[in-house]
Amino acid sequence: MNARTRSPADAAPAGTRTGPAGRDLREVRRSGPDGVGGSPPRPDGTLKVRGEFAYSSDLWHEDMLWGTTLRSPHPRANILSVDVSGALAVPGVAAVLTHESVPGSKYYGLEIPDQPVLAIDRIRHHGEPVALVAADHPETARRAAKRIAVAYEVLDPIVTEEQCLAPERYGYVHEPHEYRARAHGNICHEQRLVSGLGVTDEVRAMADVVVTGSYEVGMQDQAFLGPESGLAVPAEDGGVDLHVATQWLHVDRRQMAPVLGLPEERIRLALAGVGGAFGGREDLSMQIHACLLALRTGRPVKMVYSRDESFFGHVHRHPARMRYEHGATRDGRLVYSDARIVLDGGAYASSSPSVVGNAASLGNGPYVIPHVRMHALALYSNNPPCGAMRGFGAVQAAFGYESQLDRLAAALSMDPVELRRLNAVRQGDRMPTGQEIDAPAPVAELLRRVAAMPLPPAPDPGGPEPDRRQLPGALSNTSHGEGVVRGVGYSAGIKNVGFSEGFDDHSTARVRLEVAGGEPVALVHTAMAEVGQGGVTVHAQIARTELGVEQVTVQPADTGIGSAGSTSASRQTYMTGGAVKLAAEAVRHELIERGRRRHGWTGRDLTLAGGRVVSASAGPLADLADLIGDEPVEAVREYRHRPTFPFDRETGQGDGHVQYTFCANRAVVDVDVELGLVRVVELAAVQDVGRAINPLAVVGQIQGGCTQALGLAVMEEILLRDGTVRNASFTDYLVPTVLDTPPIPVELLELPDPHAPYGLRGVGEASTVSATPAVVAAIRNATGLALNRIPVRPEHLTTERPGAP
């Protein structure tokens, strides 16, 4: 693993504190190798590497039934009839449910309740759930589902932007009387933004150079390895207990309660082992279905999606069509940006309104642009539903604005890195939304550092035949190096952290300090979903740092405590970590006050370290185990970040975001220009992380984000034909493997954000935003092609090549 961590005082604005010199001395003293700033082993790491970790698909109950879902083969249709008699006649079948079996509301939704639990009278996307079956064996359930007879009137699907925006001609995905908040026509949500003078003839006249471009982003899947799964167990109180792999326990329950016709307190969710998420588990999948079957049969019901069903069981990244126009002066100063971003939201809203807000507010990148006009919108269509995925609206926009910066650099005969550095935002600048960037924004420094990193060795044309594993196509024996050209590309990106636009974002934590086996032990309980990001490790680090103990137990997440919010938006270390910090500080304060009452301590320099109460002036005062005795100390605290506000719908103005995070990338590629094959040789990243709570985990997050971005750049796309998914398998939907993933050297800057716990920044998404444009820029550099669509495919590199047939 290539990683360097720096706290560069020379990169910080005057007065900005960086590195240990800027930290509270008591904090540094409490932080041991397994506390904040260290990289202790993950508690789940060994089990996962050995294949011994229990995921949700491994759940088991002696008396359980197996549930399965019948899904529509059509993207758009009217349902004429559903006959379940054939399924009920299959031996071993315990229940068959349709929409008529739903006891409460027939609709649910993450932001807008527009999605039916089971299709009622129409189909809006390929794979829409129509009926459920519970049986004593999974194969029995599947065979029974095939015997459900559904009569469809198949309709022409509404799948293109042109069709969606002409409902009078092509129809409505949702009939007008069904529209919920913020929807009109086939437009799910739209956000306009105007800053400066907007874009007028007068503004355009200020620019010496103008570049325009149209760009397209395909539909990417989260491609998590653990399929949707869970176990619902009916309870004696008439409620239900659900063990499930999810990203947000409490919002799952909030959506489930009206459908099940139960109060929330009688629906208890516990987090099961999660095999990845990346946004795809933020919406409901099998949660309601399993509970409906369990409550109907009175027996536990397990549901596990197959791989192909998983492609239909969760939302995907929004495909996008974008048009940008940028104007600049001859010396490279940006004058204006005029942009339109159209996102395909698919059949249901999911989180499309929030994705639109991000695309609009972040859609001009980490650059100072005096005059901006932006129109972002999400459309309803009969394509698969789209929602949250790592990067959340910022990924699509970054491909557009970074491609534009490269075009502008070429038009100005200017170095693309220098053009970006010249226009980069810094602390004190304002975003196009009018929001001041009131924390370090070292974009120019990130770009300088990534450009200064050593380049990988170039191929030697006169040397021996290269190792074929290092060539495009690798061991497929397609290239021997004769048509291979190297390219280098750069990019920068911006992403928000946390929930935005006035959302009441908060997280709750309970911390308890007790004595076990003669030693002080901290117990940490939150509802945070551990989806592989390492939050359980971080929570233990925070407890060790604040309480001065080594033994920490992080209890399983469930709805027995207040919400931790979603494991998304790069927010959990900031938000739930902040809650754990607050609760631990309260426990520490109570213990010190107990010591004051018992022993008459008067010093103001007391803290906990090494299992003792310590005075900076007098040294150790008491062992924690003795002070705690048989009276444990417990505190529950709720953490909220500073308030945000909705963007004005017409102007886009408002302090909509909590925090911004920035990353810069450099990609080096080898392209066989004759065969259209690409090998990414290296994908370097430099990111400001505020403070690295766990440096090894931070580097892992950045490298993971880069890898997912590489996939979007050159291979990952859900292929549709008239709304029908054509590649619902890992045979045909390709993701980067270890053989596709290059070395990813990472350099960390630690410029603390004064508004965040420990000065940290969320780190999980920024590299996913910025790395894709760098890869495509490198391919452009090697080929000279425009490449306005991602993922870049071999046919794009051969058919677009000058002189190609």
Side-chain angles (χ1 to χ4, degrees), residues 120-311:
I120 300 171
D121 59 356
R122 71 195 69 189
I123 296 298
R124 294 187 177 90
H125 70 92
H126 182 204
E128 181 148 21
V130 176
L132 307 171
V133 177
D136 56 7
H137 190 278
E139 186 56 35
T140 302
R142 286 190 287 268
R143 285 191 293 109
K146 291 179 181 179
R147 297 187 63 175
I148 298 173
V150 184
Y152 297 102
E153 178 192 6
V154 179
L155 305 173
D156 291 334
I158 304 165
V159 294
T160 69
E161 176 185 346
E162 292 74 20
Q163 291 170 340
C164 292
L165 294 177
E168 304 84 2
R169 179 177 179 185
Y170 296 100
Y172 295 86
V173 177
H174 298 263
E175 292 302 318
H177 68 274
E178 297 175 318
Y179 293 166
R180 269 82 181 169
R182 295 184 283 190
H184 54 89
N186 284 324
I187 297 175
C188 174
H189 186 76
E190 59 184 326
Q191 175 68 62
R192 298 180 185 273
L193 187 152
V194 178
S195 69
L197 299 176
V199 178
T200 63
D201 291 342
E202 177 186 359
V203 168
R204 284 191 169 97
M206 300 177 190
D208 301 311
V209 178
V210 175
V211 295
T212 61
S214 295
Y215 306 96
E216 188 172 347
V217 178
M219 182 184 291
Q220 187 180 21
D221 187 64
Q222 293 85 353
F224 40 73
L225 296 185
E228 292 85 345
S229 50
L231 177 67
V233 182
E236 293 182 357
D237 65 354
V240 64
D241 298 316
L242 178 65
H243 304 265
V244 67
T246 183
Q247 289 180 241
W248 196 347
L249 291 165
H250 285 76
V251 158
D252 283 5
R253 184 174 68 171
R254 187 201 73 197
Q255 295 175 82
M256 293 165 63
V259 174
L260 299 178
L262 293 171
E264 288 190 12
E265 59 269 19
R266 285 167 61 189
I267 303 171
R268 293 164 290 270
L269 273 67
L271 187 72
V274 183
F278 311 112
R281 300 186 199 269
E282 199 164 68
D283 291 78
L284 296 181
S285 58
M286 46 63 61
Q287 287 92 321
I288 293 175
H289 295 166
C291 290
L292 285 171
L293 290 170
L295 292 169
R296 171 60 69 93
T297 62
R299 293 172 62 181
V301 173
K302 178 178 179 177
M303 296 188 76
V304 181
Y305 286 0
S306 63
R307 176 55 57 194
D308 62 336
E309 186 176 16
S310 179
F311 275 88

Side-chain angles (χ1 to χ4, degrees), residues 306-362:
S306 63
R307 176 55 57 194
D308 62 336
E309 186 176 16
S310 179
F311 275 88
F312 299 108
H314 63 260
V315 298
H316 314 288
R317 188 187 300 286
H318 292 74
R321 296 178 68 182
M322 303 173 287
R323 185 188 182 280
Y324 275 87
E325 177 184 321
H326 282 81
T329 60
R330 295 193 189 283
D331 62 358
R333 295 283 181 182
L334 291 172
V335 174
Y336 73 87
S337 170
D338 191 8
R340 175 182 168 88
I341 299 175
V342 181
L343 303 166
D344 184 349
Y348 299 108
S350 181
S351 54
S352 287
S354 298
V355 173
V356 168
N358 265 18
S361 61
L362 306 175

Side-chain angles (χ1 to χ4, degrees), residues 439-463:
V443 178
E445 177 66 10
L446 299 178
L447 286 160
R448 185 190 71 79
R449 288 178 177 272
V450 79
M453 294 174 77
L455 283 164
D460 182 3

Side-chain angles (χ1 to χ4, degrees), residues 38 88-89 113 134 180 280 361 372 390 406 429 496 506 547 641 714 769 791:
L88 289 170
R180 269 82 181 169
S361 61
V372 171
R390 192 178 199 170
D406 283 338
D429 286 334
N496 63 311
H506 64 276
L547 298 176
H641 58 62
V714 295
V769 174

